[in-house]
Amino acid sequence: MSSPTGPASGLPVRMPRPRQSGRHRRPEPVAAPEGAPALVLAVPGAPAPATRSLAEEVISIARSELPGLDVGIGYLDGDDAQYPTLATVLAQNAARRTERYEIAKAAGREVAAPEGPAAVVVPLLAGPDNALMRRIRQAVMDSRSAAELTDVLGPHPLLAEALHVRLSEAGLARADRARLFTVATAADGIILATVGGEEAVQAAGITGMLLAARLAVPVMAAALDQQGAVGAIAEQLRGSGSVQLALAPYLVGPELSEGLLDAAAKEAGCAAAEALGAYPAIGKLVLSQYTTALGIAPPQGSPSL
């Protein structure tokens, strides 16, 4: 039985934690500013189940980093009520923004007219792809909405980390080079596979240098959509002394045509890791592009671009 002053003797008592102050005080969680533009993820391809799942997980990561964030997902192909195209998502978002303003005004509230972009569009692309970026820009124009388009996610050290993890998951690299064990199937040469032509290869090469530093093996980039490029890089790596190669896709996933990666692995005569997918760094980089575009402070621990 409890006494007026607390539980009976012998029972545990939950005491409130003292409020921390000074430099040891926990930072207050950062939330999205009120009225901030929506973050709209521009996803290559149509909303197939795997693509939808990936995009939703990336958005979930971004929202967990910045609670209260207004988000949307727009696809470059396919259009229906449930999974609309990018142009449709942007148009709907702008209409909702105007509607909220009109409702507040009609209710007699003093509200400022909407200014600035209604949305910030972040392409779900690790590296540059001129063909896809042209389509994304066209979708933004077709929406007739005030939207700001950011750059792609890379190059960035977090993408090198993600590539390392995908290689280690496939048994093609050690998870941690500091550990005193070896992986029998670890590659001694990495082909960094991308799409988008020569510009994409150059951008991938920057992240490739970071990956090479992590793995202490040579890394060279090749475009999957350039005939013979992967085979030529494989020959170059073998000519410089690499024996066991691995293919690492510098791609999120939706921008990768079906069968292209398997054909490239066969051309190079080596095993391939999975695409980057919804690795946590992808969601964090999407959010970082959004906060950078708006000039707002990113959540503590978010990557800087």
Side-chain angles (χ1 to χ4, degrees), residues 24 70 119 125 153 189 285:
H24 297 293
D70 186 14
L125 296 169
L153 306 181
L285 287 171

Side-chain angles (χ1 to χ4, degrees), residues 35-293:
L39 187 164
V40 177
L41 193 65
V43 183
T51 300
R52 293 200 313 266
S53 176
L54 188 157
E56 288 164 4
E57 190 169 347
V58 168
I59 282 294
S60 177
I61 293 167
R63 293 189 78 172
S64 69
E65 295 284 320
L66 190 63
L69 182 65
D70 186 14
V71 298
I73 300 172
Y75 300 88
L76 289 185
D77 299 305
D79 196 8
D80 59 51
Q82 191 172 6
Y83 306 109
T85 61
L86 177 60
T88 301
V89 168
L90 292 173
Q92 291 173 345
N93 177 75
R96 285 196 303 271
R97 188 192 199 197
T98 301
E99 182 182 11
R100 287 194 295 265
Y101 168 70
E102 295 296 342
I103 290 173
K105 189 177 177 182
R109 292 166 52 194
E110 291 187 8
V111 289
E115 293 182 356
V120 173
V121 180
V122 182
L124 189 59
L125 296 169
D129 186 317
N130 287 331
L132 287 174
M133 287 301 291
R134 277 195 299 271
R135 294 190 61 200
I136 292 173
R137 290 190 192 95
Q138 187 61 52
V140 172
M141 289 189 289
D142 291 345
S143 72
R144 299 182 182 275
S145 67
E148 183 170 343
L149 176 62
T150 75
D151 204 348
V152 296
L153 306 181
H156 197 280
L158 284 180
L159 293 178
E161 172 193 297
L163 288 163
H164 186 175
V165 170
R166 291 293 182 243
L167 284 164
S168 66
E169 288 172 345
L172 300 172
R174 288 176 294 173
D176 184 350
R177 66 176 181 171
R179 293 179 187 172
L180 299 178
F181 68 86
T182 60
V183 176
T185 56
D188 59 1
I190 307 293
I191 303 170
L192 204 55
T194 186
V195 294
E198 190 56 36
E199 184 183 0
V201 170
Q202 291 178 5
I206 299 172
T207 300
M209 288 189 292
L210 300 172
L211 180 63
R214 294 178 68 96
L215 299 178
V217 301
V219 178
M220 298 184 70
L224 296 175
D225 49 356
Q226 287 183 333
Q227 189 172 5
V230 171
I233 291 298
E235 287 183 17
Q236 192 171 339
L237 283 168
R238 289 191 173 103
S240 62
S242 296
V243 176
Q244 190 155 306
L245 305 184
L247 197 67
Y250 185 61
L251 302 159
V252 179
E255 73 277 41
L256 184 61
S257 299
E258 188 175 355
L260 194 58
L261 188 61
D262 289 339
K266 186 178 294 185
E267 180 183 345
C270 67
E274 295 291 328
L276 298 173
Y279 186 74
I282 300 296
K284 292 179 180 181
L285 287 171
V286 164
L287 179 62
S288 183
Q289 290 286 16
Y290 171 84
T291 56
T292 299

